[in-house]
Amino acid sequence: MDKHLHAPQTWYRLHATDADGKVIQSANIQLKNPLTKFNYKVYQDAASHHYRFVYEGDAAAGARGKIVVYNAAGAQILRRDLGRISRSQQYEFDLSGQPAGIYYLGIDIDGMVYTAELLAN
C-alpha cells in the first residue's frame, strides 16, 4: 500500500486510449487504507442539502483545517476555511442549489488531506 495515501478510502478508474482513438475504461476500483487514524463523521439533514461535519480526531494543538467539496465532474463547488480545529467541534456547510448526485468532500488538516463521498438527494 502507498505509505502516503491518507484517505480512508480512495477510488480510481483506469482509462486507456488505443492508436485508433478508442477509449476503454475499467470499472471503479476502491482502495481502503487501514492505516488511517483520522476520525470524523458527516451528517446530512434528510430534507435538505445541509451537512454537518464533526471532527473526532486528535489534531495537534493549533492545527488548521479547511473543507473543499467537488462535484462528480471534479469541479470545486465549495471551499471553507475552518480555522483552528478541535476535537468534537462541528462545522456546517450547505450544498443547496446543487443538483442531486454524488459529491466528494476533501478535508485538509494541516496539509493532510482526507476524503469522503457525499450523496445529495
Side-chain angles (χ1 to χ4, degrees):
M1 173 164 286
D2 183 350
K3 293 179 184 177
H4 302 292
L5 181 66
H6 303 294
Q9 66 181 9
T10 301
W11 294 85
Y12 72 93
R13 174 184 280 185
L14 300 176
H15 180 93
T17 306
D18 67 16
D20 297 331
K22 182 178 178 185
V23 176
I24 300 171
Q25 291 184 338
S26 72
N28 287 331
I29 300 167
Q30 178 185 25
L31 296 176
K32 290 190 177 185
N33 184 358
L35 305 176
T36 303
K37 302 271 190 253
F38 184 72
N39 295 313
Y40 65 92
K41 291 183 181 174
V42 179
Y43 301 95
Q44 178 186 11
D45 180 333
S48 69
H49 288 277
H50 296 274
Y51 294 84
R52 187 168 35 102
F53 161 68
V54 181
Y55 176 67
E56 297 179 339
D58 293 317
R64 299 189 65 80
K66 64 184 170 192
I67 58 174
V68 182
V69 179
Y70 301 91
N71 65 18
Q76 179 179 310
I77 60 168
L78 177 88
R79 179 184 176 98
R80 182 162 174 214
D81 180 16
L82 303 177
R84 296 186 190 278
I85 61 166
S86 61
R87 184 177 179 82
S88 298
Q89 190 165 348
Q90 298 184 22
Y91 307 93
E92 294 185 11
F93 59 99
D94 184 7
L95 297 181
S96 293
Q98 298 295 326
I102 297 174
Y103 295 87
Y104 300 95
L105 172 65
I107 305 159
D108 183 325
I109 308 290
D110 278 348
M112 299 286 283
V113 180
Y114 305 89
T115 60
E117 190 174 275
L118 306 174
L119 179 60
N121 300 332

